[in-house]
Amino acid sequence: YPSEHTVNIYHQIFEECGVDAILGSHPHNPQPMEKYVFTCPMTQRQKQGFAIYSLADFVAYDIFVLDRLIPLLKLHIVKGRTEEGKIHTQIEAIEVKPVYNWGKKDVSKGKEMRFLDLERLIEKIHTNQTPKFMSKLCEKEALYLYEYWKKVFRR
């Protein structure tokens, strides 16, 4: 989870710069997202910002389980006009797709990495259609990451 200091810095950036979104990185694991309501310093109007504290590693296969969960974002950005007729751009919707970064555990037998739609993978696991390349350990990892996903990201 992000530190209190990091959360405060994100909030400060919203309040002082008026940005619509902050997409964080650097920690090797995904961190929560939030919607933050603030007064825009340029317009003095209330607006809602979107922050994700960490998008995790996209192409890394570390020793930690959480770094195998990759949240892919799709931001729907629209242009319109304010009541005063000024052009206004804003985020209309946000989609987050969970991806499981699967990698071969025994690298002595060759390296392999796959990016799997986590929600589809969980459906396959629940219907006993787990891909043949996945071990029972990877199945457990995917189930664990899906529960984490639901708790932290799916709101």
Side-chain angles (χ1 to χ4, degrees):
Y1 289 90
S3 68
E4 183 180 345
H5 178 71
T6 299
V7 172
N8 291 338
I9 288 173
Y10 275 46
H11 292 176
Q12 183 178 355
I13 291 169
F14 281 123
E15 292 166 5
E16 291 181 10
C17 302
V19 299
D20 293 309
I22 303 173
L23 310 177
S25 64
H26 183 69
H28 300 283
N29 59 304
Q31 292 183 345
M33 53 191 180
E34 82 167 315
K35 292 178 182 174
Y36 183 70
V37 177
F38 64 99
T39 301
C40 179
M42 276 59 119
T43 64
Q44 301 306 311
R45 290 183 168 196
Q46 281 235 307
K47 75 189 266 189
Q48 182 172 274
F50 169 76
I52 185 163
Y53 288 94
S54 175
L55 289 164
D57 292 333
F58 183 69
V59 181
Y61 200 78
D62 212 339
I63 59 172
F64 305 106
V65 173
L66 286 176
D67 74 350
R68 297 191 213 356
L69 174 62
I70 304 164
L72 297 182
L73 294 180
K74 183 176 186 179
L75 303 177
H76 298 262
I77 300 172
V78 297
K79 248 185 193 180
R81 294 203 176 267
T82 64
E83 294 168 4
E84 296 83 26
K86 292 182 180 180
I87 293 177
H88 176 71
T89 304
Q90 70 181 34
I91 298 171
E92 184 179 62
I94 300 163
E95 294 178 53
V96 187
K97 184 103 173 132
V99 173
Y100 176 55
N101 179 0
W102 175 87
K104 195 177 280 185
K105 301 284 188 255
D106 187 355
V107 292
S108 66
K109 294 181 182 178
K111 295 180 181 178
E112 186 177 352
M113 187 177 281
R114 297 181 188 207
F115 299 94
L116 306 169
D117 179 320
L118 184 59
E119 292 171 316
R120 260 197 233 150
L121 176 61
I122 295 305
E123 287 174 19
K124 287 183 178 189
I125 290 171
H126 287 313
T127 58
N128 296 316
Q129 298 174 32
T130 302
K132 294 188 186 322
F133 58 83
M134 285 184 65
S135 66
K136 287 291 179 191
L137 174 62
C138 291
E139 194 175 289
K140 282 183 178 179
E141 275 182 1
L143 291 165
Y144 170 78
L145 291 173
Y146 186 65
E147 291 305 312
Y148 177 79
W149 164 258
K150 289 190 311 187
K151 177 181 152 198
V152 174
F153 289 93
R154 212 169 163 193
R155 295 178 192 183

